[in-house]
């Protein structure tokens, strides 16, 4: 989820921030003409930490920032998109997995949306799962980037990366905690989500057709065909 900045003004921490609309970046039919690296860079452009990303869309130069200003938990947007595409053809999504890291920034909290999604899915044992590092990152600022050792080397941001890696490892290795887990420990939820996503991928590949072509990137910016019929998503020379 990105925000296109141009017209509407909101205040964050007493500072005016101009927003025109949210942009749901799509990678299927009707995909937006943004290279994936630029989408990733834009969706992490948190105000006051990183510069906005500019890109020309339909002949108009627009600036994009992190959608977490108003919708850091985009699961609601995902379920709305599902209903818009498949209303009357499917009762529920195949899978929706939400990955969260509890960094210290108040306006990006998405707990309310999480609870709404869990109610909509009738729990996290169905098609909706949330993986949220529950301890170890609460006091870590969004711009924490301390140099130090990471995977045996001293690198910029190494100490920060090592801290996140350790907290995530402890989260995935811990036992079931009834205070924060809904039905299973994180490792079980992660394995179940991975197994379901792999099964879906294999089923789509076996069926072939337009949905498989979209799944492997036919509609992504810079799409190319390799060996005549194997889709490959790449970047155009102008985007390198």
């Amino acid at each position: 989820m990105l925000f296109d900045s141009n017209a509407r003004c909101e205040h964050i921490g007493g500072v005016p921030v101009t927003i025109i609309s949210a942009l749901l970046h799509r990678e299927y039919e009707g995909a937006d003409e943004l290279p994936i690296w630029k989408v990733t860079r834009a969706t992490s452009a948190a105000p006051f930490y990183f510069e906005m990303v500019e890109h020309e869309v339909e002949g108009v130069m627009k600036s994009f920032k992190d959608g977490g200003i108003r919708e850091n938990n985009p699961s609601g947007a995902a379920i709305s998109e599902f209903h818009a595409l498949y209303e009357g053809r499917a009762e529920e999504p195949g899978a929706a997995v939400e990955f969260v890291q509890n960094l210290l920034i108040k306006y990006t909290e998405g707990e309310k949306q999480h609870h709404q999604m869990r109610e909509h899915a009738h729990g996290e044992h169905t098609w909706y799962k949330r993986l949220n590092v529950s301890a170890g990152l609460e006091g870590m600022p969004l711009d924490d980037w301390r140099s130090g050792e990471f995977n045996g080397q001293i690198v910029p941001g190494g100490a920060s990366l090592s801290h996140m890696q350790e907290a995530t490892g402890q989260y995935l290795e811990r036992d079931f905690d009834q205070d924060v887990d809904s039905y299973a420990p994180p490792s079980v939820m992660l394995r179940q989500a991975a197994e379901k996503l792999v099964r879906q991928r294999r089923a789509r590949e076996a069926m072939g057709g337009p949905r498989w072509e979209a799944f492997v990137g036919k509609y992504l910016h810079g799409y190319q065909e390799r060996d005549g019929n194997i889709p490959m998503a790449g970047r155009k020379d102008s985007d390198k």
Side-chain angles (χ1 to χ4, degrees), residues 83-130:
H83 287 304
L85 292 172
Y86 299 108
E87 193 70 46
R89 293 188 288 161
E91 294 182 357
E92 62 184 34
V97 184
E98 177 189 338
F99 296 94
V100 182
Q101 283 194 319
N102 254 334
L103 301 183
L104 185 63
I105 184 160
K106 293 299 183 182
Y107 69 79
T108 60
E109 293 175 353
E111 292 299 315
K112 182 178 180 180
Q113 182 63 57
H114 163 58
H115 291 299
Q116 290 176 345
M117 285 293 294
R118 190 163 62 183
E119 290 180 7
H120 186 80
H122 304 291
E124 290 182 71
H125 61 287
T126 57
W127 50 265
Y128 172 70
K129 300 186 188 303
R130 187 193 205 203

Side-chain angles (χ1 to χ4, degrees), residues 66 110 131:
D66 180 12
L131 295 167

Side-chain angles (χ1 to χ4, degrees), residues 1-231:
M1 180 71 72
L2 315 176
F3 274 113
D4 165 21
S5 297
N6 193 13
R8 190 171 70 252
C9 183
E10 295 192 359
H11 286 77
I12 300 175
V15 179
V17 176
T18 304
I19 300 172
I20 184 171
S21 62
L23 171 66
L24 179 63
H25 180 71
R26 296 171 172 86
E27 60 182 28
Y28 34 89
E29 189 171 1
D32 305 287
E33 293 186 356
L34 276 78
I36 193 66
W37 70 266
K38 187 168 284 190
V39 173
T40 305
R41 169 66 178 81
T43 195
S44 62
F48 318 126
Y49 294 97
F50 305 105
E51 294 182 358
M52 290 188 291
V53 174
E54 292 189 344
H55 190 84
E56 186 175 310
V57 179
E58 297 180 347
V60 179
M61 186 61 69
K62 296 187 176 183
S63 299
F64 297 97
K65 65 180 66 172
D66 180 12
I69 300 169
R70 296 183 56 212
E71 197 163 359
N72 190 57
N73 184 339
S75 56
I79 195 66
S80 295
E81 181 79 349
F82 165 77
H83 287 304
L85 292 172
Y86 299 108
E87 193 70 46
R89 293 188 288 161
E91 294 182 357
E92 62 184 34
V97 184
E98 177 189 338
F99 296 94
V100 182
Q101 283 194 319
N102 254 334
L103 301 183
L104 185 63
I105 184 160
K106 293 299 183 182
Y107 69 79
T108 60
E109 293 175 353
E111 292 299 315
K112 182 178 180 180
Q113 182 63 57
H114 163 58
H115 291 299
Q116 290 176 345
M117 285 293 294
R118 190 163 62 183
E119 290 180 7
H120 186 80
H122 304 291
E124 290 182 71
H125 61 287
T126 57
W127 50 265
Y128 172 70
K129 300 186 188 303
R130 187 193 205 203
L131 295 167
N132 179 18
V133 178
S134 51
L137 300 177
E138 303 92 330
M140 192 172 187
L142 189 63
D143 59 347
D144 190 309
W145 196 242
R146 292 165 286 123
S147 296
E149 183 176 334
F150 180 65
N151 291 339
Q153 297 184 4
I154 303 298
V155 296
S160 302
L161 292 171
S162 293
H163 179 73
M164 289 188 284
Q165 185 180 62
E166 181 181 1
T168 302
Q170 292 175 351
Y171 166 73
L172 293 174
E173 293 170 2
R174 69 166 172 76
D175 295 329
F176 176 77
D177 184 346
Q178 63 180 1
D179 292 331
V180 293
D181 298 326
S182 60
Y183 78 98
S187 58
V188 172
M189 294 180 64
L190 180 62
R191 185 170 63 251
Q192 290 176 344
E195 289 175 350
K196 187 165 189 177
L197 291 170
V198 169
R199 288 198 300 269
Q200 289 179 338
R201 182 192 186 281
R202 290 174 176 171
R204 287 183 178 179
E205 184 177 14
M207 292 177 63
R211 292 192 67 189
W212 169 247
E213 293 175 350
F215 184 80
V216 293
K218 179 176 181 178
Y219 300 102
L220 288 176
H221 178 73
Y223 165 83
Q224 301 173 359
E225 285 194 358
R226 184 177 57 191
D227 299 333
N229 57 7
I230 302 177

